[in-house]
């Protein structure tokens, strides 16, 4: 059940949130909101894969 929830969230993230790797964002120049989005996407992706 938990894994299905995270897989659904991962699909929503892919559709709704921007991809900073495609924009070639430098992490040292990212603002707080961009870092929060990167962290959120990483957390969801990590849990969707486990």
């Amino acid at each position: 059940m938990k894994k299905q929830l995270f897989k659904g969230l991962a699909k929503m993230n892919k559709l709704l949130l921007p991809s900073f790797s495609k924009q070639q964002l430098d992490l040292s120049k990212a603002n707080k909101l961009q870092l929060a989005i990167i962290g959120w996407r990483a957390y969801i992706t990590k849990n969707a894969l486990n």
Side-chain angles (χ1 to χ4, degrees):
M1 170 102 177
K2 182 180 172 184
K3 188 172 184 175
Q4 290 174 341
L5 173 72
F6 280 108
K7 283 191 176 203
L9 282 173
K11 287 182 182 183
M12 285 182 17
N13 282 347
K14 189 171 183 175
L15 293 174
L16 299 176
L17 297 176
S19 174
F20 295 119
S21 62
K22 290 181 182 176
Q23 298 174 6
Q24 297 180 344
L25 176 70
D26 185 9
L27 288 179
S28 64
K29 295 179 182 177
N31 62 31
K32 298 286 184 183
L33 179 62
Q34 291 170 328
L35 290 174
I37 291 172
I38 291 168
W40 172 254
R41 289 185 70 151
Y43 173 75
I44 296 298
T45 302
K46 178 181 162 264
N47 283 302
L49 293 175
N50 286 339

